[in-house]
Amino acid sequence: MTLRLISEGAESKIYADDSFGVPLIVKARERKGYRIEGLDESIRRGRTRKEAKAMCKARESGANVPGIIAVGRFSIFMERKRGKMLKDVRFGNKEMRAAGAQLAKLHAAGIAHGDFTPANIMLCSNGPCIMDFGLAGIGGGDEEKAIDLLLMKRSVEKPQFSSFIKGYSAYANHKPVLKKLADIERRGRYKARTLQTV
Amino acid sequence: MGIESSAHTFGAGIVDRGKVLANEKSMFPIGTNGMIPGKVAEFHSSNALKVVKAALDRAGTKLSEIEGISYTSGPGLGPCLQIGQLISKTLAKTLSISIAPVNHCVAHIEITRHFAKMRDPLVLYVSGGNSQILKLSEEPFRHYSVLGETLDIGVGNMLDNLARRLGLNPAWGSSVAKAAERGKYINMPYTVKGMDFSFTGILTFAEKMAGKEMPEDICFSVQENAFAMLCEATERAMFLTDSAEICVSGGVAQSRRLKEMLAQISREHGARIGYVSDELNADNGAMVALVGEKMLESGFKARLSDCVIDQKYRTDEAMVY
Ligand SMILES: Nc1ncnc2c1ncn2[C@@H]1O[C@H](COP(=O)(O)OP(=O)(O)O)[C@@H](O)[C@H]1O
Ligand SMILES: [Mg+2]
């Protein structure tokens, strides 16, 4: 295997690999020196498993998500998508609407993404592909879903968010989530906070 | 002069152009019971003048030389905050000097940033009632904006509660640290949500373990998980904001184990970590004086009637000068 480091996040390193004849991505959770070993292992193992599970479930829901090829103890091998991250390109209402439709599929399947920002969406030839399920939760309530909307809202312009919500409305249960979003925004904690994205 | 009285400590500090001339305090004896706000306030009011006088003596100065006064206006315990407010307003009025209300959390952060000589660091603020990750922001005014924070109680209060529950004396986070030195690891909850974290899960779990597991093992494991959670959220914020400097302040910044963990992050990512001495990390008057001096120097003016207290004064509501 010839692993090529392509991205480094706070908890994982992303490598590209071509030695199997198909373009692969390996997402590997790194050992954290500040955590004692037993704890560190169980966290990394648990999160790797949880992320893989959320990705599989997301794919079953019909959302555009990289296909998983194998799951190791601390790493996920997945299909490498081609495209540019949404945060790095100029995008318009069409892309936003499509991204909203993707989130609608996730939420309909009971998946809250947990970090739904333009830094984790790739624009591919077949539309936006959702990545990084590292903070995803399965079976959560409207609150978790509303946080997905909130993060996106804080990351894009107003008209873009309106298009996003048009796409999102494909989710049958979208109304209570939008109501929850308004509630959260009214609460002090998030009002004062600037939710930043990479 | 700065007066601090938000919780168990009554402090009076004197600074002159960013230099600490005096930092005197008296602390409510916590015992094994914790704090009842009214009792603490009573204790403060009987000690206040002694502490103010000690600060003047230490700085080798007189009341008539004091050019401005500041006090902690929140967050904190109402009755305790009132004592500091009252003394400061009295001094301001009798000496005809300017007065400035100061946010307690901002004071903790600012004294660390000042002495660590950091311009725009990522801030990990860890104290009794609060635990936050912040960064300076200019919009809509200069303030510390919150990137992540505890979803329930502060890490310090969690440790104090644990100490009380385990019957440690004093019922204090430092007793937990001491017991932890002999402990070994048992599994505990670990809750980080992005850059937010939560401590009640650990506390409830640890309380259930009391009597079943050795107290030192409980203390050790609670510290390991709680501090690692803080480190993880900080690390995430570091990546997000591209910060190479971390300013760590508040009472819990005195913890040796937390410092060790942060040193590890520093080694792994080449970040510089800034602390102040334990004396300045604990609640104290000098930090209030330092912020007060900055405020008054930049022309801050307040009428006595504007000098209120706010028990729930949020860090991100306070203007930074
Ligand atoms: N399946 C994939 N195909 C192509 N690029 C990917 C894939 N997965 C991740 N990446 C790239 O790696 C970056 C980081 O991945 P991500 O899963 O978001 O990790 P992190 O948890 O560190 O944010 C992405 O922004 C993207 O550029
Ligand atoms: Mg990501």
Side-chain angles (χ1 to χ4, degrees):
Chain A
M1 266 172 98
T2 44
L3 294 176
R4 194 158 36 86
L5 182 69
I6 59 166
S7 152
E8 190 174 348
E11 65 168 338
S12 52
K13 286 196 171 125
I14 309 277
Y15 300 92
D17 178 71
D18 292 305
S19 50
F20 291 102
V22 276
L24 284 189
I25 285 285
V26 184
K27 179 167 181 169
R29 285 195 157 73
E30 299 282 300
R31 160 107 180 90
K32 294 293 173 194
Y34 56 80
R35 284 196 295 239
I36 61 168
E37 219 168 310
L39 172 65
D40 185 64
E41 275 205 28
S42 81
I43 289 173
R44 288 190 292 146
R45 214 173 33 219
R47 289 190 186 163
T48 302
R49 236 185 251 156
K50 206 169 147 206
E51 179 168 8
K53 200 167 158 198
M55 284 181 77
C56 288
K57 205 161 158 57
R59 211 170 146 86
E60 277 167 24
S61 79
N64 190 7
V65 170
I68 289 189
I69 289 153
V71 183
R73 259 157 72 85
F74 308 124
S75 51
I76 301 174
F77 293 65
M78 63 183 106
E79 158 198 10
R80 181 156 91 231
K81 292 280 187 176
R82 286 165 51 93
K84 285 213 161 111
M85 300 317 285
L86 204 54
K87 75 170 169 74
D88 297 325
V89 296
R90 284 164 55 102
F91 54 85
N93 296 335
K94 184 170 138 255
E95 289 79 14
M96 274 287 110
R97 197 173 171 142
Q102 289 293 324
L103 187 65
K105 287 184 186 167
L106 297 184
H107 284 188
I111 306 161
H113 183 275
D115 197 10
F116 203 73
T117 70
N120 287 323
I121 300 172
M122 186 183 268
L123 269 190
C124 303
S125 54
N126 63 344
C129 174
I130 313 303
M131 298 183 166
D132 195 356
F133 286 73
L135 294 173
I138 299 174
D142 289 346
E143 172 106 11
E144 280 78 13
K145 291 173 181 168
I147 299 275
D148 281 346
L149 298 183
L150 182 69
L151 280 170
M152 187 52 85
K153 187 171 183 180
R154 299 274 164 111
S155 317
V156 300
E157 310 280 329
K158 249 201 171 118
Q160 294 179 331
F161 187 68
S162 302
S163 305
F164 178 83
I165 291 300
K166 279 198 193 110
Y168 180 70
S169 305
Y171 172 37
N173 198 36
H174 69 278
K175 281 210 175 101
V177 182
L178 284 170
K179 191 180 165 295
K180 196 88 197 173
L181 172 65
D183 288 349
I184 294 176
E185 287 186 302
R186 231 176 292 118
R187 287 202 306 245
R189 216 172 79 74
Y190 284 99
K191 200 167 173 184
R193 280 180 62 164
T194 20
L195 286 166
Q196 299 188 14
T197 53
V198 188
Chain B
M1 176 179 282
I3 304 287
E4 156 66 32
S5 70
S6 63
H8 47 74
T9 300
F10 184 91
I14 301 176
V15 302
D16 184 18
R17 278 159 291 180
K19 262 178 69 178
V20 177
L21 304 184
N23 194 22
E24 298 296 317
K25 60 183 93 168
S26 88
M27 231 175 112
F28 180 77
I30 201 98
T32 52
N33 292 317
M35 303 191 283
I36 300 161
K39 282 259 178 321
V40 185
E42 218 171 89
F43 176 83
H44 286 343
S45 65
S46 59
N47 282 293
L49 291 179
K50 242 187 344 222
V51 177
V52 169
K53 178 139 190 342
L56 290 167
D57 289 347
R58 173 65 56 126
T61 185
K62 304 191 292 278
L63 262 188
S64 56
E65 305 266 321
I66 299 295
E67 292 167 12
I69 184 129
S70 51
Y71 69 97
T72 300
S73 60
L77 305 171
C80 300
L81 290 168
Q82 272 170 357
I83 305 291
Q85 176 204 29
L86 185 69
I87 287 169
S88 304
K89 282 172 107 166
T90 311
L91 287 176
K93 187 149 173 113
T94 50
L95 301 172
S96 304
I97 53 178
S98 310
I99 181 167
V102 169
N103 179 291
H104 177 83
C105 314
V106 168
H108 269 297
I109 299 168
E110 285 292 276
I111 196 157
T112 312
R113 190 167 71 89
H114 175 77
F115 285 112
K117 298 198 165 50
M118 291 179 162
R119 210 179 54 79
D120 184 17
L122 183 70
V123 175
L124 172 61
Y125 170 58
V126 276
S127 68
N130 241 312
S131 301
Q132 297 178 314
I133 297 169
L134 316 105
K135 181 107 175 151
L136 273 174
S137 156
E138 304 295 331
E139 297 299 325
F141 54 87
R142 191 171 165 80
H143 71 287
Y144 282 105
S145 83
V146 179
L147 298 173
E149 67 187 325
T150 175
L151 298 170
D152 36 60
I153 56 176
V155 64
N157 282 354
M158 188 271 287
L159 296 171
D160 297 348
N161 274 316
L162 179 67
R164 199 176 322 147
R165 183 60 220 269
L166 295 176
L168 305 181
N169 190 2
W172 229 199
S174 53
S175 303
V176 173
K178 204 149 162 227
E181 284 168 15
R182 291 169 277 121
K184 58 179 186 340
Y185 189 70
I186 43 183
N187 266 324
M188 291 265 166
Y190 182 99
T191 324
V192 179
K193 293 184 177 168
M195 286 178 286
D196 294 331
F197 30 85
S198 137
F199 293 113
T200 45
I202 299 186
L203 183 60
T204 315
F205 186 86
E207 285 178 343
K208 277 204 202 111
M209 289 293 111
K212 292 195 197 114
E213 299 276 356
M214 300 296 284
E216 57 263 36
D217 295 345
I218 299 177
C219 291
F220 177 76
S221 313
V222 165
Q223 282 207 115
E224 285 302 315
N225 278 39
F227 296 162
M229 282 159 51
L230 291 168
C231 285
E232 185 183 339
T234 305
E235 198 180 26
R236 203 180 274 276
M238 255 179 79
F239 268 84
L240 196 68
T241 58
D242 228 338
S243 301
E245 290 181 333
I246 310 175
C247 170
V248 188
S249 49
V252 184
Q254 297 171 79
S255 157
R256 266 221 344 254
R257 181 61 183 132
L258 179 61
K259 281 184 183 161
E260 267 171 29
M261 290 188 188
L262 289 164
Q264 186 74 35
I265 292 190
S266 151
R267 272 195 295 280
E268 280 167 19
H269 304 297
R272 180 162 86 91
I273 313 229
Y275 296 104
V276 282
S277 66
D278 285 353
E279 191 200 330
L280 294 177
N281 262 326
D283 285 356
N284 67 87
M287 63 184 194
V288 181
L290 187 91
V291 173
E293 183 179 50
K294 268 201 201 166
M295 289 171 78
L296 296 176
E297 267 178 356
S298 10
F300 175 87
K301 282 249 176 328
R303 282 175 309 195
L304 280 180
S305 56
D306 291 335
C307 292
V308 292
I309 59 166
D310 178 357
Q311 297 187 60
K312 296 213 156 75
Y313 196 0
R314 273 186 64 95
T315 318
D316 49 15
E317 286 167 355
M319 173 125 59
V320 174
Y321 289 80

